[in-house]
Amino acid sequence: MGTYNRRSTSTGSSVDEDLYKIGAVAKRTGISPECLRAWERRYGLQPAERAGKTRFYSASQVQRLLNVKTLLDQGHPISQLLRLDDDELQRRLRPQPIRSPAHRPRTGLVGGQLILAHREACRDLVTGDVGLDIVAEWTSAAELKADRGALPQLDCLVVYVPTLDTQHIEGIQEVCPDTRVVVAFRYATATDLDECRQSGRAILRWPAEWQTLVRRVRASTSPDPTSSRRYSDEELVHISLMASRAGCECPRHLAELIGEINDFETHTHRCGGRHGAVDGDHARAEKRLGGARAQLEESLSVFVETHGLLAAAN
């Protein structure tokens, strides 16, 4: 049956408590035995008892795993959840204020390096929520070009190239002229780097963390940086005041940096629009400011969600 009753502890005290084999735990929680073993190796999730190679989990551990699974399905990272005590898990299970959905660009990947990184991200994040809507993959630029005329609608195309070659990139851009292209490269000359930066080309040195790629894609495809602010001015002030909950001043410093970017972005918009429509230089500056803000907001959100810095404001 997979369920047993323990009547004494390692200290000799008498206790009645059901114990469950790993297979029974998997059936009750929906977490596979392979995943439980991996969490034990990576995060120290130890069973209550062992008998040889057989693992036994207590009823309280099973309940904790059920809570963890619920939060995993909501998108919380396992590396954070397994560090939380039971009270904090229960707090996170309570209904939270509804926020607008994150920007999830429809994205295509070109190159085996990126496809492998996507697979690893799906496996490591357990939930499979990788932060982007990956709708197509091509192992090479030649394979992409062969599909010309039958490409899916994309917001962004991420292309891996061993060496940054602007002519090669322009050839890829011609295949999908209305799609934003982000280039992940391993090697580059100073000349090619300067040319990409001057032309506003979105580039990313590879290898990089998957979340770094996600932030670069989101920043590159955000249609209006000004309107996509994650936190209002009032929320930034509240976060600064509640920063002591995190045990350090990092949330306050991040909130102040974001506020300064917001102020400068407003100035840039007014400066560039003195003669009507915002000119190209200022428009590009606004877009870069929006990307910088998005990355800082992503860092700040870790503190906000972990320590409930907006709980009293909502």
Side-chain angles (χ1 to χ4, degrees):
M1 297 291 292
T3 305
Y4 299 84
N5 188 266
R6 177 176 61 186
R7 294 188 177 276
S8 63
T9 66
S10 57
T11 60
S13 60
S14 177
V15 64
D16 284 325
E17 185 176 11
D18 287 337
L19 295 175
Y20 302 86
K21 283 186 175 181
I22 195 168
V25 174
K27 289 181 180 179
R28 285 173 174 262
T29 63
I31 304 170
S32 70
E34 294 78 15
C35 192
L36 289 169
R37 295 188 190 100
W39 291 355
E40 182 179 338
R41 292 192 303 271
R42 295 179 187 177
Y43 309 113
L45 178 66
Q46 298 294 329
E49 289 188 6
R50 290 176 184 271
K53 293 184 178 180
T54 303
R55 296 167 171 83
F56 294 94
Y57 296 81
S58 67
S60 58
Q61 285 181 312
V62 173
Q63 182 57 55
R64 177 177 170 82
L65 287 169
L66 284 168
N67 293 340
V68 166
K69 181 63 166 61
T70 299
L71 291 168
L72 270 177
D73 292 342
Q74 295 175 6
H76 295 263
I78 186 62
S79 58
Q80 288 185 13
L81 292 177
L82 291 182
R83 291 199 298 266
L84 302 177
D85 60 27
D86 291 337
D87 289 341
E88 180 61 21
L89 284 176
Q90 288 293 339
R91 188 189 71 78
R92 295 198 178 198
L93 285 168
R94 299 185 194 119
Q96 299 295 317
I98 298 174
R99 294 185 179 273
S100 58
H103 179 43
R104 297 174 62 85
R106 289 174 56 84
T107 305
L109 303 177
V110 180
Q113 296 274 358
L114 298 174
I115 294 172
L116 287 174
H118 178 215
R119 300 287 189 276
E120 291 174 2
C122 289
R123 183 171 62 250
D124 292 344
L125 292 173
V126 181
T127 60
D129 182 4
V130 295
L132 299 173
D133 185 9
I134 305 297
V135 298
E137 296 175 340
W138 296 271
T139 57
S140 66
E143 190 175 292
L144 170 73
K145 292 177 180 178
D147 282 349
R148 186 170 189 165
L151 298 176
Q153 182 178 353
L154 297 172
D155 297 312
C156 185
L157 185 70
V158 187
V159 182
Y160 170 77
V161 293
T163 302
L164 193 61
D165 182 337
T166 54
Q167 290 185 342
H168 178 57
I169 296 168
E170 288 171 2
I172 293 174
Q173 186 73 76
E174 290 176 0
V175 177
C176 42
D178 298 325
T179 300
R180 181 66 166 162
V181 174
V182 174
V183 182
F185 68 95
R186 190 176 292 272
Y187 304 105
T189 65
T191 300
D192 284 326
L193 282 173
D194 288 341
E195 188 172 338
C196 284
R197 288 166 180 158
Q198 290 173 11
S199 64
R201 175 73 65 192
I203 56 178
L204 173 68
R205 191 176 293 276
W206 197 262
E209 295 290 334
W210 179 260
Q211 289 304 318
T212 301
L213 184 148
V214 171
R215 288 192 291 270
R216 183 59 53 86
V217 170
R218 287 180 176 175
S220 299
T221 57
S222 180
D224 182 356
T226 304
S227 65
S228 63
R229 294 179 183 179
R230 188 166 183 170
Y231 301 107
S232 67
D233 291 340
E234 292 77 11
E235 287 176 322
L236 290 173
V237 170
H238 186 83
I239 291 168
S240 295
L241 294 173
M242 301 298 290
S244 59
R245 284 190 179 184
C248 69
E249 292 299 303
C250 289
R252 180 174 66 81
H253 294 313
L254 284 168
E256 289 175 353
L257 285 170
I258 293 168
E260 290 176 8
I261 286 178
N262 291 344
D263 291 343
F264 185 62
E265 185 181 53
T266 300
H267 165 75
T268 301
H269 187 81
R270 291 186 62 189
C271 184
R274 287 172 297 175
H275 306 294
V278 178
D279 62 52
D281 289 341
H282 287 81
R284 283 190 290 273
E286 282 187 53
K287 190 172 184 66
R288 298 295 182 272
L289 287 168
R293 179 182 55 243
Q295 294 190 42
L296 289 172
E297 288 174 336
E298 188 76 19
S299 299
L300 180 59
S301 70
V302 175
F303 291 99
V304 170
E305 294 168 7
T306 301
H307 302 285
L309 301 185
L310 278 178
N314 293 311

